Structures are given as C-alpha cells and as structure tokens.
Amino acid sequence: MLIIPAENAINWKRPPWVTLGLIMACLLVFLFYQGDDSRKLEQAVEQYLAADLHELEAPAYEDYLQRQIQFQGEEGRVYELQQFQQLREENETFWLAINLMMDREFYQYLLQNRDVIWAPTERARWQEQRTAIEQQYIQKLSANQLGLVPADLSLYTLITYQFLHGGWGHIIGNLIFLFLLGFTVEKALGPGRYLIAYLVCGALSGLMFTAVSAGSYVPLVGASGSISGLMGMYVAIYGLQKIRFFYFLGVYFNYFRAPAIALLPVWVGKEIYDYWYAGATGIAYMAHAGGLIAGAGLVWLLGKSWLQVREEFFEPEEEEQDARFTTGYAQAMASLGRMEFDLARRQFEALREHYPERHILLEHLYQLAKLRPDLPEYRDRAKELMNDALSRRQPEQMIAIWQEYLGKGESYQPLSAQDHNRVLFTSLKQHDLKAAEKAFERLKSTGDDMLTTEACRLLVEEFEKRQMAPKARHYRQLLQAG
C-alpha cells in the first residue's frame, strides 16, 4: 500500500529549483559516476574466478551464515543460506562470486579468522589474490568510496552518501518522493533554508544508521533518509491541518483527508516494524525513522526563528482564490445593483488589494469614480486606467479614456502636462493625428514650454513625412514663434 500527501499543486511560474537541482544531481551522479561500477565489478569477478577464490571462500561462507543464524539469531540469513546453497548446486559461479565479494561483513570475518579457516599455503594465496582485487576494484566502487560506512565514518560521507543509489528501482522510487514532498517543503521554507534542512536531515539520518549499526562495514547509500526528513518537515508544517492523501492499493486508488500529523506515528511505527522484521536489510529503516524525526524536530524546534515557515506558503491555491474572488465580486455587484455605491466602492477596493491583477476591478472603480467628476478620485482612477491600458498594450483604450476625461473631469481636476504628452506620443504611434493635435493643444495650455516645444517638433516631422505641407508649416511657425 502506498500513501502520498497530495495537498499542494506545483506552481510552474515559480519552479522548485532546489528540488529539481537535487533530482538532477542524483541522476548525474548515478549515470556518470556510478555508471562505471558495473565494469569494475565485472573485472573483479573475472579476476576472482580466475584465481579460484570461490572454491576457498564458499565453504567458509556457508559456515559463516550458519553461525550468524545459530549464535546471532539472524533469521533473515536462513533465506540467504538457502539461496547460496542453490547457487553452489547449480554451479552459478558468477553469482557465487558476487555474493562472496560483496558481503562486506563476511570479508571482515575472513580477515579476522583466516588463520583458523585455511592452512598456511591456502591462506597466503587467498590473501595475495583477494587483497589485490579489493584494492583494484572493490574499494573503488562508488558505495565503498562515498557511501556511509559506520565502521569508517567520515564527515563528508554524511553528505555524499545521499546522492548515491543502488540501482534504477532505488533511484526512481526516491526521486518520485523527493519531487512530491520537496516542492511543498521548498515553497514553505524558501530555497536556501530548504537545502540546508534537507542535507542536515540526511546527515542526522546517517548518524542514526551509524549508531544502530556501529562497527558495520555495510555501506549506506541513497536519499531515503533525507526524504524521510522531508516527510517529517511536511507533517510539522501542516500540523493538525487536514490535508489530502493519495493512496494506492493494488489496482485501486483514491483520496482521503486526515490531519497531517497523523502520518508521523504511522511512518515511525512502520519503520520500526520493518527494522525488526525485514531481515538483513531492515537496519536501514532506523535511519529512515531518524530522518523523519529530524525533519519534524527541525521545524518544531526552529520554527519561530531560523526555520520559520514563510507566510505566503499558506496562501490559498489558485482554485480556492478563484472561488473567493467570485464570492467577493458577486457581493460587490449586488451592492451596485442596489445602488449602494459607497459600499460597492469599498468592496471593489478590498478585492483589488488581494487581486491586483484583475483588470475588471479597476474598471469598476473608474466607473464609480466617474459619478463624481468634480473629485480628485476620478482623475486618479482615469490615470490608473490609462496606464493599465498601456501596460496591456491597448493604446486605443488609453486614448478613449483620456478623451472621456476631457469631457467630464478636465474642467475640475486638470491632467498634468506629462499625461497629455504621453497621449500625444501614443496617438502618433497609432497614426491618430486628430487625437495627437488635440493632445498638443491641451499640453500647450499647461504652460510646460519644454514639453510643448518637443511635441511641436514631433508634429512637424510627422506631417512632413506624410507630405501634409500646410499642417507642417503651421507647427513650424509655432515652433519658431516659441
């Protein structure tokens, strides 16, 4: 059964660049750095089989597994023993070699007990051949170089292991969850804090793995601990809010709503259960649980200071915003219908504060202001609407608003010289010479000599270009008189 939080939709206008970058980094490391592992392993197997090391190690491995089952109580090793015995019976030497070489705990067992296992001649041959294979190939595998090895812990491997993966199934599963959880947490925390929190969760997860498996030579690789940290941060951010979860069971899938925090004990319980009952691979589940607790703890402990969730994270999604706008707009229009103009104006202004991109709101405010052309509000709304028309590349509307204002409000609250000059430029671009001349007359009446002179020169050039000599002569005379 698969359960995934599905509360937020991604906003591609503001992409989650850090999440996408982490995904790309994991893919590049897997393809170009880890891609050479198969070649090294094949060469190691060839040299291992050529030296007949499997004949020396196979009996020792069976004895080693039986000891693990009998004295260590590792029941998960029973299946490994059965599989190994079947490989020996079928003479599958390649997979025998893989099993023997890649069991790092077994290799340490051989080093510690070689004097007991083999006679001096066999021991010398084993040590010479096996050491060469280890140094040339096994130790150079990505997991052994940059993976997290509890028995040989390095600070840098607490970070590097997060970008390594054990195969296509491993990396695809991790990257799907990284994307699903990452873009939401990145939106909540911001890119910089999100990246630091992600890496810290991975490091703390690695430390948990090291504490539980102290002395182990089995390397840990993968972003699972970091992604578990994202799950913890996700739960901590939403807290008791009810969110949508997507679940998949066999061929059936659906959504349900539940408090986000309910996922925390469920996830921790699952990881602890898997740790005790998942056999040899179960130990990594405690690292996942550590990452989950670390993620939730970071948000809860630092939520009021450095790791504060951004307020805009809780802004309603686009569909919810549309529903709220529709409701508010209907209320304002109802006020208009009842001729409650002051109430309608306040309602439209409130809507515009939250939805400044909705052009229709400015048009309504302009129409309401036009009811009192003697007040400065009408002039201000007219200028706003003119600028809005220009920004939306609708010059004809801008000129129409200007002309309407001239007839209704200019005598009460005159426009500035800059306003008339802008109309003149726009009219010339639209080849509306009549409006351009009218704008020039208004500009001239403001007494701004510098703008008037420049505008007059533009009109002379325009009429000469159109070979309208009388008009060009008229404005040239005005230019000379000025």
Side-chain angles (χ1 to χ4, degrees), residues 252-321:
Y252 181 75
F253 60 90
N254 207 335
Y255 290 89
F256 68 93
R257 299 192 72 86
I261 199 170
L263 196 62
L264 184 59
V266 172
W267 184 276
V268 172
K270 170 191 174 298
E271 297 297 317
I272 294 175
Y273 175 86
D274 287 342
Y275 166 65
W276 292 112
Y277 294 100
T281 61
I283 199 166
Y285 288 106
M286 290 302 292
H288 301 173
L292 183 73
I293 296 170
L298 283 175
V299 174
W300 282 332
L301 293 176
L302 304 177
K304 294 183 179 179
S305 55
W306 181 77
L307 209 63
Q308 180 65 52
V309 176
R310 299 192 302 180
E311 292 182 2
E312 58 265 31
F313 173 72
F314 293 107
E315 291 179 353
E317 297 297 325
E318 188 173 345
E319 291 182 4
E320 186 178 349
Q321 287 185 2

Side-chain angles (χ1 to χ4, degrees), residues 77-279:
R77 292 283 198 173
V78 173
Y79 178 73
E80 289 185 46
L81 177 60
Q82 293 172 348
Q83 289 291 102
F84 184 76
Q85 290 172 339
Q86 184 177 351
L87 290 175
R88 289 193 70 185
E89 291 174 3
E90 297 174 357
N91 199 30
E92 293 283 353
T93 55
F94 179 84
W95 293 110
L96 273 175
I98 293 291
N99 275 266
L100 294 166
M101 283 193 301
M102 299 309 293
D103 191 325
R104 307 312 297 156
E105 299 292 350
F106 173 61
Y107 180 65
Q108 294 301 317
Y109 170 82
L110 292 178
L111 289 176
Q112 295 168 7
N113 297 279
R114 59 183 182 273
D115 293 340
V116 177
I117 297 173
W118 297 299
T121 304
E122 293 176 328
R123 181 172 66 247
R125 179 167 70 89
W126 174 85
Q127 187 161 348
E128 178 185 358
Q129 297 292 336
R130 191 68 146 90
T131 302
I133 294 172
E134 284 287 322
Q135 293 176 348
Q136 294 176 22
Y137 305 111
I138 304 301
Q139 292 178 8
K140 292 182 179 180
L141 295 175
S142 60
N144 294 326
Q145 281 195 320
L146 297 181
L148 181 61
V149 180
D152 187 23
L153 180 65
S154 300
L155 290 179
Y156 70 90
T157 59
L158 288 172
I159 301 299
T160 56
Y161 91 93
Q162 302 176 39
F163 296 90
L164 302 177
H165 289 85
W168 278 111
H170 188 201
I171 190 171
I172 290 172
N174 274 350
L175 295 190
I176 288 175
F177 274 91
L178 173 55
F179 181 77
L180 290 172
L181 296 170
F183 79 83
T184 298
V185 179
E186 181 177 348
K187 178 182 176 183
L189 302 182
R193 292 180 296 172
Y194 162 72
L195 177 60
I196 294 173
Y198 175 89
L199 295 176
V200 167
C201 284
L204 293 176
S205 175
L207 290 175
M208 173 72 85
F209 175 79
T210 301
V212 173
S213 54
S216 172
Y217 285 86
V218 178
L220 175 66
V221 297
S224 301
S226 310
I227 295 167
S228 296
L230 293 183
M231 180 70 77
M233 285 187 274
Y234 190 97
V235 171
I237 288 167
Y238 276 107
L240 295 174
Q241 295 184 59
K242 286 191 175 182
I243 64 173
R244 284 196 312 161
F245 290 93
F246 169 81
Y247 69 91
F248 178 82
L249 180 61
V251 297
Y252 181 75
F253 60 90
N254 207 335
Y255 290 89
F256 68 93
R257 299 192 72 86
I261 199 170
L263 196 62
L264 184 59
V266 172
W267 184 276
V268 172
K270 170 191 174 298
E271 297 297 317
I272 294 175
Y273 175 86
D274 287 342
Y275 166 65
W276 292 112
Y277 294 100

Side-chain angles (χ1 to χ4, degrees), residues 297-446:
L298 283 175
V299 174
W300 282 332
L301 293 176
L302 304 177
K304 294 183 179 179
S305 55
W306 181 77
L307 209 63
Q308 180 65 52
V309 176
R310 299 192 302 180
E311 292 182 2
E312 58 265 31
F313 173 72
F314 293 107
E315 291 179 353
E317 297 297 325
E318 188 173 345
E319 291 182 4
E320 186 178 349
Q321 287 185 2
D322 287 342
R324 292 186 182 185
F325 173 79
T326 301
T327 301
Y329 184 76
Q331 292 173 348
M333 292 300 292
S335 299
L336 275 181
R338 295 190 301 267
M339 294 192 188
E340 297 175 353
F341 299 128
D342 286 340
L343 176 59
R345 175 179 54 78
R346 291 194 298 271
Q347 290 171 326
F348 282 125
E349 286 175 347
L351 280 172
R352 192 157 183 251
E353 288 182 5
H354 291 90
Y355 308 98
E357 75 285 353
R358 305 274 183 161
H359 167 73
I360 189 66
L361 298 175
L362 179 57
E363 287 191 350
H364 283 302
L365 289 170
Y366 170 77
Q367 296 297 334
L368 286 168
K370 193 167 64 175
L371 297 174
R372 290 294 307 273
D374 56 315
L375 297 180
E377 184 182 358
Y378 177 43
R379 178 196 59 198
D380 296 339
R381 293 300 185 191
K383 292 172 68 170
E384 273 191 88
L385 198 55
M386 288 166 61
N387 292 333
D388 181 72
L390 276 183
S391 67
R392 292 185 297 109
R393 298 182 181 179
Q394 295 182 347
E396 299 88 350
Q397 184 182 7
M398 183 259 202
I399 296 170
I401 296 165
W402 172 76
Q403 290 176 332
E404 183 178 42
Y405 185 81
L406 293 182
K408 295 181 180 294
E410 179 75 0
S411 60
Y412 299 106
Q413 305 288 338
L415 293 172
S416 67
Q418 289 80 3
D419 295 325
H420 296 303
N421 191 53
R422 188 156 55 250
V423 173
L424 186 145
F425 269 89
T426 303
S427 301
L428 289 177
K429 288 182 179 179
Q430 294 301 114
H431 310 294
D432 188 344
L433 300 181
K434 184 177 180 180
E437 289 187 278
K438 188 174 182 179
F440 175 78
E441 294 300 323
R442 294 290 181 176
L443 174 59
K444 185 179 177 183
S445 68
T446 64

